[in-house]
Amino acid sequence: MLGIVRQNVGGARGLSSQGLGNYVMRLRPVASAMRNYSAGTKEMTVRDALNSTLDEEMAADPNVYVMGEEVGEYQGAYKITKGLLDKYGPERVVDTPITEAGFAGIGVGSAYHGLRPVIEFMTFNFSMQAIDHVINSAAKSNYMSAGQINVPIVFRGPNGPAAGVGAQHSQCYGAWYGSVPGLKVLVPYSSEDARGLLKAAIRDPDPVVFLENELLYGESFPVSAEALDSSFCLPIGKAKIEREGKDITITAFSKMVGYALKAAEILEKDGINAEVINLRSIRPLDRATINASVRKTNRLVTVEEGFPQHGIGAEICASVVEDSFGYLDAPIERIAGADVPTPYAANLERMAFPQIEDIVRAAKRVCYRSVPLAATA
Amino acid sequence: MAFARRSFKPISTTTSFFRRRLLTTTTDDITVETSVPFTGHNCEPPSRSVSTNPKELLSFFTDMALMRRMEIAADSLYKSKLIRGFCHLYDGQEAVCVGMEAAITKKDCIITAYRDHCIFLGRGGTLLESFAELMGRQAGCSKGKGGSMHFYKKDACFFGGHGIVGAQVPLGCGLAFAQKFRKEDHVTFAMYGDGAANQGQLFEALNMAALWDLPAILVCENNHYGMGTAEWRAAKSPAYYKRGDYVPGLKVDGMDAFAVKQACKFAKEHALKNGPIILEMDTYRYHGHSMSDPGSTYRTRDEISGVRQERDPIERIRKLILAHDLATEKELKDIEKQARKEVDEAIAQAKESPMPEESELFTNVYRKGLGVESFGTDRKELRATLP
């Protein structure tokens, strides 16, 4: 499968000579597709990764507590907090009424006074009820008080679409929260991400919005011994190169990382060697890693599930144009959710969120125009 | 009671709270009656008889005179454009924060909305920090980065200073949550106005505070106008002390510092044993809602001057002091003159304080900046690394 260049596509332009020529394929195993067990490699679901992290952090610091709807007796709406109530008691695993504005505010107030709350929103759609506390009460406090009042709080929960949950339960809030100075916004993909980033979030003295994904909770990923250690932390603000490549850069976060990796496998067969970046952090955004990658590959496709206008891809695009314009061999492409409220019907919902073929198509477009320029005028 | 009179020592020119050392027996008990009895909701109201002493009486006068002076001076500063943006003045309401402080400690928490200058002073903040913050200078309590609505004093458990109406109430219940979590013997006073009293989040937080027996005291400073809207136009039931339903409440004359003191003492005891309670302070603001509001389009000048005549909190204490022969009229006038002097000196000092360094634009975005980049308006022109 190496060395295929121009045959398969009727593009007017081929790749630059640096593109597909001779290259060495370095494929990382796609975590969800392969189950390589070497001695000592364990597998863990994202759900268990989050659960074990909460458990360890609560054991390590008595100021850490969990609060939200159904986190206690119900064992968590998505079972992320399973077993914690039995272990830590109702003072540290606090079931709330369905009053997001109230309990988010209570969480922030307790953080003002030095506790370390982990507030669960059953989904981030409901965070809109409490968004004033996330932004005005939490994010801005350290600045407005010139450093007197820091807010060591974590807001976590599933973000973005699930499956068939309709318009009010499917929105991605990465772009909204990612625009606010004073917040840190993390987006784990794998189980290692989940452990390392959640630990970093809980230990961080600033407010962190931790955007999970419901459909990833049940997915298993290999976890290293290092990641299983209770002191394992990932740095906030650093993206991960999930798959190295030379021809194009694909940025993604959360569930879309898995899609991007699958798209990369397909592109490989067409002779396009894609580099996949798992953002891990929307704020701070790892512009350095993204730009370094684009300077290497000269082409970029951004992928996200959220609405396209003012989205994460738009910010990445602007950043790359500002910092690495001269390195681009093609305009940047954005793959995002459709610009519509999420429909329920399965076929329409499928059209509303990026599919692997969308990523593949956009990647091919940045490699060579599949449609002559004149036709797009 | 006769007290030996001595000429009072010259007052030091520190900008901290004006303190006078009385050479008389300062802790002799005096009993004062509140102006009106308390009205209880789901609770037995406390007695109208409040015990105090000469020292406390004089400190009430001194403290309130200072606060009054500060707010009036802020009015002038605003009109001369040295204070910008929003400026919400507290004159008329001084008895609430002074009475409250007399009943509590600096380990009890206070959180309030944007009418926070005097509460900051009550928690131990200085005039300099206050004026400098209003003028956006480095010596301000928030180093000039907060402004009028964002005064804080964490070491005295004063948590601001909030601009979003009603938000401070769940935050205050959160402070109480932390106090209970840590098994402290302290309480939180979450202050809000009659305008905020209808906010949904208040009831959400109150429900949880009651469910979990949090030591939260919700203090409604009912000055009868939510910005330009009179309480009867905003609330179907303006009996705010009853709005907690299952949560007990007390209606208090908020212009009577001793009624406030008694109510807060009562509330603290209650909250530590039984969870949340609501205090409604019947009070009044002489200024409009903010400096942008003349305050006379929705209420009559007669009403304002009537309250000033009949219910002014400082006048009330003055009468009490004179009635108990604790100072002469001249001595009290001297205290007010001294307050004026301290305020003027603090303003002069605040004016000397420079505006923040330009690099301060980028500080305190995070407690832990992780070396992240931040940008000015033109990112090719100005970038910074957040420490």
Side-chain angles (χ1 to χ4, degrees):
Chain A
M1 281 306 168
L2 303 181
I4 297 173
V5 181
R6 290 164 223 233
Q7 257 66 46
N8 294 354
V9 282
R13 275 153 237 184
L15 287 165
S16 69
S17 57
Q18 286 167 309
L20 289 189
N22 305 312
Y23 60 89
V24 174
M25 216 159 73
R26 270 174 296 173
L27 241 193
R28 289 263 169 82
V30 175
S32 54
M34 296 180 61
R35 298 275 186 275
N36 275 340
Y37 295 93
S38 50
T41 306
K42 201 182 154 192
E43 281 228 335
M44 186 182 239
T45 61
V46 171
R47 175 179 286 112
D48 289 341
L50 295 168
N51 183 268
S52 58
T53 300
L54 288 169
D55 190 354
E56 289 160 22
E57 294 304 295
M58 287 177 77
D61 183 347
N63 286 321
V64 176
Y65 74 95
V66 172
M67 180 184 272
E69 295 155 12
E70 312 295 2
V71 295
E73 292 190 14
Y74 196 86
Q75 308 297 323
Y78 300 99
K79 304 293 179 273
I80 307 299
T81 53
K82 185 170 179 199
L84 296 179
L85 175 66
D86 278 344
K87 196 164 172 185
Y88 297 102
E91 274 143 25
R92 294 185 68 195
V93 183
V94 184
D95 277 326
T96 65
I98 308 174
T99 49
E100 277 79 5
F103 69 74
I106 286 179
V108 175
S110 74
Y112 283 179
H113 211 356
L115 296 187
R116 302 190 85 94
V118 179
I119 303 295
E120 178 175 301
F121 289 123
M122 201 180 280
T123 77
F124 265 90
N125 300 285
F126 316 136
S127 75
M128 292 198 287
Q129 310 243 305
I131 198 166
D132 178 60
H133 283 297
V134 178
I135 296 181
N136 281 323
S137 305
K140 298 178 185 171
S141 279
N142 199 58
Y143 193 84
M144 292 191 295
S145 69
Q148 265 191 82
I149 316 264
N150 72 303
V151 190
I153 193 169
V154 177
F155 299 100
R156 53 155 292 274
N159 175 59
V165 292
Q168 293 179 343
H169 290 74
S170 303
Q171 192 163 331
C172 173
Y173 292 87
W176 285 21
Y177 289 121
S179 71
V180 180
L183 281 185
K184 292 168 181 169
V185 181
L186 300 179
V187 282
Y189 162 60
S190 64
S191 299
E192 271 203 24
D193 286 358
R195 276 184 61 81
L197 293 177
L198 186 57
K199 276 180 188 287
I202 292 173
R203 296 177 193 186
D204 196 278
D206 295 307
V208 181
V209 170
F210 194 84
L211 303 174
E212 301 160 3
N213 183 291
E214 192 206 311
L215 300 177
L216 283 178
Y217 284 151
E219 262 198 56
S220 267
F221 294 87
V223 276
S224 62
E226 192 206 347
L228 288 171
D229 188 81
S230 66
S231 63
F232 175 66
C233 250
L234 283 173
I236 290 178
K238 294 275 171 277
K240 180 185 177 200
I241 313 248
E242 289 286 347
R243 179 193 203 275
E244 281 183 31
K246 278 171 48 187
D247 299 326
I248 80 165
T249 300
I250 304 176
T251 63
F253 62 92
S254 190
K255 189 160 118 248
M256 292 292 106
V257 176
Y259 280 34
L261 289 169
K262 294 207 176 95
E265 276 176 41
I266 294 171
L267 288 164
E268 202 64 59
K269 300 191 179 96
D270 283 332
I272 299 174
N273 179 230
E275 177 148 294
V276 175
I277 299 182
N278 170 5
L279 291 179
R280 280 183 166 172
S281 178
I282 286 176
R283 184 167 194 106
L285 188 62
D286 192 351
R287 295 169 214 280
T289 298
I290 297 167
N291 276 284
S293 173
V294 175
R295 287 177 182 211
K296 181 176 74 169
T297 64
N298 314 118
R299 294 162 204 273
L300 175 61
V301 174
T302 68
V303 185
E304 68 199 287
E305 292 188 286
F307 297 134
Q309 192 166 336
H310 313 301
I312 313 281
E315 173 63 31
I316 293 175
C317 181
S319 176
V320 168
V321 163
E322 282 158 3
D323 290 341
S324 309
F325 183 70
Y327 292 80
L328 287 168
D329 283 346
I332 300 168
E333 294 272 3
R334 294 182 289 171
I335 293 295
D339 205 18
V340 297
T342 307
Y344 166 67
N347 62 328
L348 295 182
E349 187 182 32
R350 197 175 185 284
M351 290 170 70
F353 293 109
Q355 305 300 329
I356 296 169
E357 57 257 30
D358 294 316
I359 306 173
V360 170
R361 190 187 319 111
K364 288 183 179 172
R365 270 205 310 266
V366 301
C367 287
Y368 28 70
R369 286 234 158 240
S370 50
V371 176
L373 249 186
T376 63
Chain B
M1 284 186 271
F3 293 96
R5 293 284 173 66
R6 292 246 235 126
S7 61
F8 291 92
K9 286 192 175 177
I11 310 302
S12 70
T13 51
T14 58
T15 52
S16 58
F17 243 129
F18 183 71
R19 294 274 174 259
R20 165 174 300 230
R21 238 184 354 177
L22 265 184
L23 304 166
T24 56
T25 42
T26 59
T27 49
D28 265 15
D29 255 359
I30 298 174
T31 306
V32 165
E33 286 272 294
T34 65
S35 60
V36 292
F38 298 100
T39 319
H41 167 73
N42 287 348
C43 70
E44 259 318 296
S47 153
R48 280 176 79 175
S49 300
V50 188
S51 69
T52 181
N53 56 65
K55 183 169 178 226
E56 183 175 71
L57 259 164
L58 274 154
S59 80
F60 275 12
F61 184 85
T62 311
D63 293 351
M64 288 200 279
L66 198 70
M67 290 174 179
R68 178 68 59 92
R69 252 300 102 212
M70 174 178 73
E71 296 294 74
I72 291 175
D75 174 294
S76 306
L77 287 174
Y78 192 91
K79 286 170 176 154
S80 16
K81 298 203 194 297
L82 283 160
I83 300 177
R84 311 175 315 122
F86 291 126
C87 187
H88 306 85
L89 299 176
Y90 199 71
D91 51 313
Q93 299 185 211
E94 300 89 348
V96 176
C97 81
V98 163
M100 185 182 292
E101 288 292 348
I104 66 177
T105 71
K106 294 293 192 288
K107 291 262 195 277
D108 296 307
C109 300
I110 298 181
I111 192 167
T112 187
Y114 41 76
R115 208 175 295 281
D116 58 348
H117 312 158
C118 298
I119 292 159
F120 170 72
L121 228 53
R123 289 268 91 182
T126 67
L127 289 169
L128 172 61
E129 286 173 316
S130 182
F131 285 117
E133 187 59 37
L134 289 171
M135 293 195 273
R137 309 296 176 95
Q138 286 184 23
C141 54
S142 300
K143 308 218 181 101
K145 289 170 70 168
S148 165
M149 299 186 287
H150 305 296
F151 285 22
Y152 304 85
K153 195 166 167 58
K154 191 172 180 184
D155 59 15
C157 291
F158 175 53
F159 288 92
H162 292 270
I164 306 295
V165 170
Q168 75 275 17
V169 177
L171 295 173
C173 292
L175 295 170
F177 182 94
Q179 290 171 319
K180 179 152 193 185
F181 190 96
R182 292 216 183 89
K183 303 184 168 38
E184 292 178 20
D185 259 329
H186 302 117
V187 297
T188 296
F189 288 81
M191 304 172 77
Y192 61 100
D194 47 291
N198 302 307
Q199 276 263 316
Q201 60 185 319
L202 185 154
F203 295 95
E204 293 188 14
L206 189 61
N207 176 47
M208 284 181 269
L211 263 176
W212 304 331
D213 287 316
L214 302 183
I217 297 156
L218 271 63
V219 180
C220 179
E221 293 184 278
N222 181 9
N223 57 26
H224 308 284
Y225 296 92
M227 205 157 125
T229 303
E231 59 184 328
W232 58 270
R233 286 177 63 220
K236 186 71 179 171
S237 165
Y240 301 107
Y241 71 109
K242 288 188 187 171
R243 294 275 293 273
D245 185 16
Y246 41 80
V247 171
L250 202 64
K251 184 158 175 172
V252 184
D253 178 0
M255 306 299 260
D256 177 352
F258 288 104
V260 173
K261 175 186 165 190
Q262 184 85 317
C264 291
K265 181 164 172 285
F266 173 79
K268 180 170 173 175
E269 279 161 23
H270 181 280
L272 283 172
K273 277 205 306 277
N274 305 320
I277 184 169
I278 297 180
L279 298 179
E280 181 188 335
M281 304 288 182
D282 184 348
T283 184
Y284 200 83
R285 52 165 163 83
Y286 296 137
H287 270 87
H289 162 71
S290 71
M291 287 304 299
S292 323
D293 170 27
S296 51
T297 57
Y298 48 86
R299 50 186 194 170
T300 63
R301 291 189 199 280
D302 281 346
E303 179 187 289
I304 305 169
S305 53
V307 175
R308 212 187 269 276
Q309 194 94 322
E310 309 288 317
R311 299 180 66 206
D312 185 86
I314 300 177
E315 286 318 301
R316 189 184 161 74
I317 301 294
R318 190 196 307 271
K319 288 190 189 111
L320 271 169
I321 290 174
L322 294 175
H324 283 93
D325 231 6
L326 302 179
T328 62
E329 280 217 38
K330 178 172 185 310
E331 278 159 352
L332 293 180
K333 284 250 181 305
D334 284 343
I335 292 177
E336 287 175 300
K337 272 203 201 118
Q338 180 57 26
R340 203 180 180 125
K341 182 165 179 282
E342 285 211 5
V343 162
D344 289 342
E345 278 165 11
I347 291 176
Q349 231 188 312
K351 283 179 178 169
E352 298 286 302
S353 177
M355 303 200 85
E357 297 291 327
E358 288 188 353
S359 57
E360 290 290 332
L361 181 68
F362 295 109
T363 57
N364 310 125
V365 176
Y366 296 115
R367 172 60 64 90
K368 196 165 154 198
L370 306 169
V372 153
E373 252 194 332
S374 181
F375 308 101
T377 52
D378 179 349
R379 62 180 62 203
K380 304 269 172 169
E381 185 63 22
L382 182 60
R383 290 182 181 219
T385 308
L386 302 183

